[in-house]
Amino acid sequence: AQKVTQAQTEISVVEKEDVTLDCVYETRDTTYYLFWYKQPPSGELVFLIRRNSFDEQNEISGRYSWNFQKSTSSFNFTITASQVVDSAVYFCAGLYNNNDMRFGAGTRLTVKP
Amino acid sequence: EAQVTQNPRYLITVTGKKLTVTCSQNMNHEYMSWYRQDPGLGLRQIYYSMNVEVTDKGDVPEGYKVSRKEKRNFPLILESPSPNQTSLYFCASSETIRLTQYFGPGTRLLVL
């Protein structure tokens, strides 16, 4: 079955701490795409990153980094030196069979000053 | 400005009263989709469209209809809304299914 699991429902950290959001995906497809989206308190969905199954390179963008490991079916997201503005719900998603988009349940991150 | 727009943004209605939520994109995207977001469940796909006149069911299509008569518009129709359709709805579009989807601002629906 195609599935995306975000086991962490809520995480709370203090500003400047590093935090990792976990994402585990399930699929038998050899070609698939993985995404992370951010949903700030205002409610919109903001695209963060897209990875295809053939590209296992880790990605760094400023304070954000992503670790894609096919061996563990994981696509984890790390925020370094977190800030209050990082407080949001973060969704991991997978695109399978070229038309089956599955989202995880989301992880609510609260960064306290 | 490239964007996906949805209307209305907020809607309160009663059981059984037909409603339509409009979705429009100005990016000439082929692919459009509708999702509902519920607490603890993330987003679930309702319907998607690969191109004009081509639509297909997603994960939770029951109680919904869609149409794609023009490339830019993809309305979501609730013929007879029920309270279990109370949710936050998002429309999204992308050039093709494989590329990143861009989301509208969301429509919060309450069915009494």
Side-chain angles (χ1 to χ4, degrees):
Chain A
Q2 326 277 33
K3 195 176 175 183
V4 173
T5 301
Q6 295 179 256
Q8 303 152 309
T9 306
E10 293 192 31
I11 300 176
S12 181
V13 299
V14 176
E15 211 170 17
K16 297 184 184 174
E17 283 186 28
D18 298 348
V19 57
T20 295
L21 310 182
D22 298 333
C23 174
V24 173
Y25 62 93
E26 292 177 38
T27 183
R28 291 182 183 168
D29 294 354
T30 54
T31 302
Y32 51 89
Y33 300 83
L34 300 171
F35 304 83
W36 275 96
Y37 283 88
K38 174 182 179 179
Q39 187 176 44
S42 50
E44 73 272 24
L45 283 157
V46 178
F47 164 75
L48 295 177
I49 191 170
R50 168 183 173 270
R51 267 282 176 270
N52 71 53
S53 52
F54 300 109
D55 183 2
E56 256 189 288
Q57 271 193 336
N58 290 332
E59 173 99 3
I60 297 175
S61 176
R63 296 184 296 107
Y64 294 173
S65 62
W66 291 269
N67 183 357
F68 178 23
Q69 289 198 331
K70 291 173 79 169
S71 60
T72 54
S73 297
S74 64
F75 186 41
N76 296 338
F77 172 32
T78 297
I79 302 175
T80 303
S82 59
Q83 299 176 1
V84 172
V85 293
D86 295 327
S87 295
V89 179
Y90 291 87
F91 291 100
C92 180
L95 175 63
Y96 309 110
N97 286 333
N98 284 334
N99 61 19
D100 186 8
M101 188 76 168
R102 300 276 171 164
F103 281 78
T107 297
R108 181 178 298 277
L109 173 65
T110 302
V111 181
K112 298 177 181 175
Chain B
E1 180 191 352
Q3 60 182 353
V4 179
T5 56
Q6 295 178 227
N7 282 293
R9 294 289 313 280
Y10 304 91
L11 180 59
I12 301 174
T13 190
V14 295
T15 298
K17 186 176 180 183
K18 181 179 178 180
L19 67 92
T20 299
V21 183
T22 64
C23 172
S24 183
Q25 49 94 4
N26 63 0
M27 296 168 278
N28 202 36
H29 284 170
E30 290 189 352
Y31 180 87
M32 297 184 74
S33 59
W34 275 103
Y35 298 86
R36 59 177 289 172
Q37 181 181 355
D38 301 291
L41 297 176
L43 280 81
R44 292 178 293 167
Q45 192 175 53
I46 303 171
Y47 269 95
Y48 62 93
S49 169
M50 303 287 254
N51 213 325
V52 176
E53 302 290 2
V54 180
T55 63
D56 210 342
K57 297 177 182 178
D59 203 22
V60 288
E62 295 77 20
Y64 304 95
K65 284 175 58 176
V66 292
S67 69
R68 187 91 182 273
K69 294 185 170 57
E70 307 165 280
K71 201 170 188 180
R72 63 182 291 128
N73 296 323
F74 190 44
L76 179 70
I77 303 157
L78 285 72
E79 296 262 350
S80 183
S82 62
N84 65 12
Q85 292 178 298
T86 292
S87 188
L88 176 58
Y89 291 87
F90 286 99
C91 179
S93 75
S94 59
E95 276 189 54
T96 72
I97 179 63
R98 292 188 191 88
L99 295 179
T100 302
Q101 292 186 51
Y102 293 93
F103 286 81
T107 295
R108 194 168 289 279
L109 172 65
L110 172 61
V111 183
L112 300 173

